[in-house]
Amino acid sequence: MEKAEKKWRWGFHRWIVLALIILNVVAVNLYAPVQPHIQVAAENIITEPLFTLPVIGDFYLTNSLIATILMYIVIILIALAVRNSWKKNPVAPKGIAGVFEMLVDMIYNMTETTAGKYAAKVFPWFASIVIVLLFANLMKLIPGFESIGVLRHSEHGYEIQALGNGTWSTLLNKEAHNGGYTLVPFLRGVSTDLNFTTALALIAVVMIQVIGVQANGVRYFEKFINVRNIFKKPLFGVIDFIVGLLELISEFAKILSFTFRLFGNMFSGMVLLAVVGVMIPVFLPSGLMLFEVFIGVIQALVFGMLTMVFMAQATQGHGAEEEQK
Amino acid sequence: MEKLGFNLGFLLVQIIAFLITVVVLRAWVFIPLQGSLKKRSETIEKGLEDARIAAEARENAEKEAAEILAEAQASAAQVIRDAKEKAELAARDVKANVDAEIAKSRKDALVDIEHERERVLGEIRNNVASLAIAAAQKLVGEALDEKRQHELVAEFFSGIKDGKVSILEGSKVAGENAEVMSALPLTEDEQKIIKGEMLNRLGEKAEVAFNVDPNILGGLVVRVGDKVVDGSVAGQIQNLRSSLE
Amino acid sequence: MSGDIVMAAKMIGAGLAMIGALGGGIGVGLSVQGAVQGMARNPDTYGNLLSSMILGIAFSEAIAIYCLVIAFLMLFVV
């Protein structure tokens, strides 16, 4: 009896998918997707700067800034919910707290196996980066991101058509000959903004150094400016010194690497979705969406895990301890 | 840089926002969750410990049960063994009794058979004597009277001549136990004569046993102690054969 | 006219930049091969190998991603 019901359910889902595909075809024929204007920098929603600071310069309200603020508000609200849920039921948290607990447990175990006794110091950064990036990467897949915004005059714009009473309009896939419109979305994927990824990379690399100093004291910097052997064994000392300089460069390379790995993955995902969505608007973007979910989770884990591994490496002493062995 | 969207202000905003989030997450999520995780792992460990203790207790109980069972089995085996032994003992007793009875009855039967044999041989002796006399009469004619012939035959078998044991004359025998062997069973009169003669020679305390052995053909063989007086026909024939050779 | 030439150069440059993704692809394939062989020989190390493999993939994929970023810069920024 139950088996038959299950079979019926499967058929039900299949028909839902088929109906959605047909709806998709109809919708695409009614309003064809428009190639969005792709640019690396976040778009300004208001053309005038909000305020101008003396050193920093003009400050615009960009769409990724709105998305960032929204994301942090969501994260902090969820943290509050977890805290309340934990206070209510510390033994077996339910709902979102249970999910968070599972995640935190997993991340903590991972940290402990790699970082050992410095796990308590490394863990908050690792976990924060993973959680923030999970939200940042997955929020951009919510419908409405990068598709709802303000219209702006442009040289290579598209014609528009009013919807309803004229408050809302839609772009048409028809190039306007003189002065069409382009869309500036309200929300844009947080991690497709270089400022966000750079900020995270800077924090990660700075915290790697901080944890290294906490673990090894001032000796940590011997790793970079290695003059210990330069008088005892001149040749190898010089080589050590150069290796130390390379380490210093590699720290800056880490910033670049962190920044552009995350940005490249997310931005390429955005471009891919936009381009494929215009070219083959039916069915294929669904698969790409799933792939983007995967990529987003993997990149969040990779960013966090790399931070954690580098921090663990920084806690392990460099040359001095090796020589003592 | 402008086209990449880098902006120091945004960068600072992002950094500060992220740091705020880290602090908030640490305070609201990580520390409580780590605490609860630690507590839970402790609880789980305690539970495991309890389970281990319970398992140990169960193991002990099982061991005791096994011991009790083993004891019971051992005692049962003991009981069975005892019972078997007793049964075997009883069986052996019964068998021994039966064997003894069988032996006794066999001995009785043997004695009976011996008596019967002697009786039959005694009867045969008379017949043999009559037949021998009849045959001799046929051969020799009626030279001898029948009474004389009977006496001769009796003498042949018993070795008693004129109320005396002929073979014992002239021979010196001494000892306590005498054994007299004849070819056919002797009559009671003859036995009395021989016994009296033997007692005369050996003394009042001597014992005389009578045996029958047809192989000696006739006459008597007397064995006293380690001395044998051979008055048998077979012995005489043997003597004759050895002297002829 | 000159704008069209610049546009064509941008496209060609982006395409050329993506050649670098070759190395990243080879690197990802090699690391996955090594990890899967290790898992097949010793299934107990599955978890460790998986995390190491993802880290290695991230490193080698980063090269391809840099190429992609350069291509994007050529297409959309310059």
Side-chain angles (χ1 to χ4, degrees):
Chain A
M1 199 61 197
E2 203 178 319
K3 204 176 177 182
E5 199 184 15
K6 207 172 186 181
K7 226 173 184 176
W8 179 80
R9 294 283 302 175
W10 271 106
F12 181 67
H13 286 293
R14 189 166 52 201
W15 293 119
I16 284 180
V17 169
L18 189 65
L20 284 174
I21 289 173
I22 290 168
L23 190 69
N24 194 352
V25 171
V26 171
V28 163
N29 279 323
L30 278 180
Y31 296 100
V34 182
Q35 169 87 52
H37 176 69
I38 295 169
Q39 69 177 54
V40 174
E43 294 92 345
N44 303 335
I45 289 174
I46 304 166
T47 42
E48 299 300 317
L50 282 180
F51 50 85
T52 308
L53 293 174
V55 185
I56 295 166
D58 293 344
F59 200 90
Y60 295 95
L61 182 67
T62 63
N63 46 13
S64 65
L65 189 65
I66 296 176
T68 309
I69 291 165
L70 199 67
M71 180 192 79
Y72 282 126
I73 288 172
V74 168
I75 290 175
I76 289 175
L77 284 181
I78 285 175
L80 195 66
V82 170
R83 176 169 165 261
N84 289 339
S85 166
W86 177 80
K87 269 190 179 170
K88 225 181 282 172
N89 186 2
V91 181
K94 282 182 188 128
I96 194 81
V99 176
F100 259 68
E101 194 195 75
M102 199 184 73
L103 190 69
V104 166
D105 191 25
M106 193 188 82
I107 290 172
Y108 190 76
N109 286 338
M110 225 184 265
T111 314
E112 213 167 27
T113 52
T114 309
K117 61 175 179 173
Y118 293 100
K121 268 179 193 156
V122 175
F123 167 71
W125 300 101
F126 182 16
S128 304
I129 285 171
V130 169
I131 288 169
V132 168
L133 280 185
L134 275 178
F135 277 92
N137 294 350
L138 297 183
M139 257 175 80
K140 106 186 154 86
L141 299 175
I142 296 171
F145 267 68
E146 295 162 15
S147 53
I148 299 170
V150 293
L151 290 171
R152 186 168 298 158
H153 282 284
S154 165
E155 287 176 31
H156 306 286
Y158 296 89
E159 289 185 358
I160 58 165
Q161 183 189 5
L163 292 173
N165 57 8
T167 316
W168 298 90
S169 302
T170 180
L171 286 173
L172 291 179
N173 196 6
K174 229 188 278 175
E175 286 208 22
H177 292 293
N178 42 0
Y181 291 92
T182 52
L183 180 76
V184 176
F186 287 131
L187 297 167
R188 175 184 165 133
V190 180
S191 36
T192 57
D193 184 359
L194 267 174
N195 289 312
F196 175 73
T197 57
T198 313
L200 243 64
L202 276 175
I203 290 170
V205 173
V206 167
M207 285 321 293
I208 288 167
Q209 315 310 320
V210 168
I211 284 179
V213 171
Q214 278 180 342
N216 292 331
V218 191
R219 297 180 75 94
Y220 177 74
F221 292 109
E222 281 185 357
K223 182 175 159 186
F224 303 122
I225 304 162
N226 196 341
V227 289
R228 215 165 347 108
N229 288 337
I230 205 160
F231 299 112
K232 275 190 277 180
K233 288 178 276 181
L235 185 61
F236 290 102
V238 169
I239 290 174
D240 280 355
F241 186 72
I242 293 169
V243 167
L245 288 184
L246 281 179
E247 292 262 5
L248 195 61
I249 292 167
S250 86
E251 293 299 315
F252 289 101
K254 269 179 202 165
I255 301 176
L256 276 180
S257 163
F258 273 136
T259 306
F260 282 104
R261 179 182 300 116
L262 183 58
F263 170 76
N265 269 295
M266 290 302 117
F267 189 71
S268 67
M270 185 185 91
V271 172
L272 195 66
L273 274 178
V275 171
V276 171
V278 172
M279 287 195 298
I280 310 164
V282 181
F283 196 66
L284 191 59
S286 312
L288 281 177
M289 278 284 191
L290 279 179
F291 189 60
E292 281 306 308
V293 172
F294 174 70
I295 292 279
V297 173
I298 287 285
Q299 286 307 316
L301 272 179
V302 161
F303 199 112
M305 228 198 278
L306 279 178
T307 312
M308 183 262 286
V309 169
F310 287 145
M311 282 176 177
Q313 276 179 1
T315 58
Q316 285 156 9
H318 209 58
E321 281 174 7
E322 276 174 22
E323 274 189 10
Q324 277 170 8
K325 282 173 194 171
Chain B
M1 282 306 232
E2 197 64 26
K3 278 202 166 178
L4 279 176
F6 271 119
N7 184 309
L8 193 55
F10 290 154
L11 201 60
L12 288 177
V13 168
Q14 298 278 10
I15 290 173
I16 291 163
F18 182 75
L19 289 178
I20 289 170
T21 312
V22 169
V23 170
V24 168
L25 281 175
R26 202 176 122 85
W28 286 359
V29 178
F30 299 151
I31 290 173
L33 279 187
Q34 266 176 282
S36 82
L37 282 174
K38 199 182 267 178
K39 210 182 284 170
R40 181 165 328 144
S41 68
E42 273 167 11
T43 314
I44 288 170
E45 255 169 37
K46 196 167 165 291
L48 284 177
E49 181 72 19
D50 288 352
R52 201 179 56 77
I53 289 168
E56 254 175 28
R58 206 193 63 189
E59 225 166 63
N60 285 342
E62 272 175 6
K63 210 186 274 172
E64 274 172 21
E67 271 171 16
I68 290 169
L69 203 66
E71 257 173 39
Q73 276 172 350
S75 62
Q78 185 65 35
V79 166
I80 288 170
R81 209 180 305 134
D82 288 354
K84 211 181 262 176
E85 267 173 20
K86 272 179 195 163
E88 270 174 12
L89 218 58
R92 215 177 296 145
D93 280 355
V94 167
K95 205 177 161 212
N97 286 344
V98 168
D99 281 353
E101 265 174 31
I102 286 171
K104 197 171 162 248
S105 55
R106 197 159 140 242
K107 209 166 150 198
D108 291 351
L110 279 176
V111 169
D112 286 351
I113 286 165
E114 192 73 16
H115 280 296
E116 189 68 10
R117 181 168 164 248
E118 280 179 8
R119 195 180 57 78
V120 169
L121 282 174
E123 275 175 13
I124 284 170
R125 176 183 157 181
N126 289 334
N127 293 343
V128 166
S130 302
L131 282 170
I133 290 162
Q137 270 178 346
K138 281 271 185 207
L139 286 171
V140 192
E142 304 201 4
L144 299 168
D145 60 44
E146 204 170 335
K147 195 183 169 227
R148 176 69 187 140
Q149 282 165 3
H150 268 286
E151 279 174 3
L152 277 173
V153 172
E155 191 192 327
F156 173 76
F157 281 120
S158 64
I160 297 171
K161 196 179 178 181
D162 300 333
K164 282 177 184 172
V165 181
S166 54
I167 59 164
L168 291 174
E169 283 175 14
S171 64
K172 286 179 180 170
V173 288
E176 292 200 337
N177 293 321
E179 191 183 344
V180 178
M181 202 176 282
S182 59
L184 289 170
L186 300 173
T187 59
E188 285 191 2
D189 294 339
E190 290 163 355
Q191 281 186 2
K192 203 184 274 173
I193 291 167
I194 291 170
K195 204 172 181 178
E197 194 108 350
M198 293 304 289
L199 292 180
N200 276 343
R201 287 172 183 269
L202 299 173
E204 286 298 320
K205 285 179 183 174
E207 284 181 11
V208 181
F210 294 96
N211 277 338
V212 175
D213 185 5
N215 287 334
I216 63 171
L217 298 174
L220 293 175
V221 176
V222 178
R223 184 179 288 133
V224 180
D226 54 352
K227 191 169 183 182
V228 176
V229 180
D230 192 353
S232 68
V233 176
Q236 283 165 6
I237 289 170
Q238 184 70 28
N239 287 343
L240 189 63
R241 185 180 291 155
S242 59
S243 64
L244 283 175
E245 280 171 357
Chain C
M1 186 62 194
S2 69
D4 285 349
I5 289 173
V6 169
M7 192 66 195
K10 276 184 187 176
M11 294 293 176
I12 292 169
L16 286 178
M18 284 311 290
I19 291 174
L22 186 72
I26 292 171
V28 170
L30 284 177
S31 54
V32 173
Q33 181 210 26
V36 169
Q37 274 182 353
M39 287 172 194
R41 291 202 184 150
N42 190 357
D44 289 345
T45 61
Y46 179 83
N48 292 334
L49 280 181
L50 192 71
S51 51
S52 309
M53 184 188 85
I54 288 173
L55 271 185
I57 286 174
F59 275 122
S60 41
E61 196 195 38
I63 307 298
I65 294 293
Y66 298 155
C67 297
L68 191 66
V69 169
I70 299 295
F72 280 148
L73 292 183
M74 285 189 183
L75 284 178
F76 304 123
V77 176
V78 179

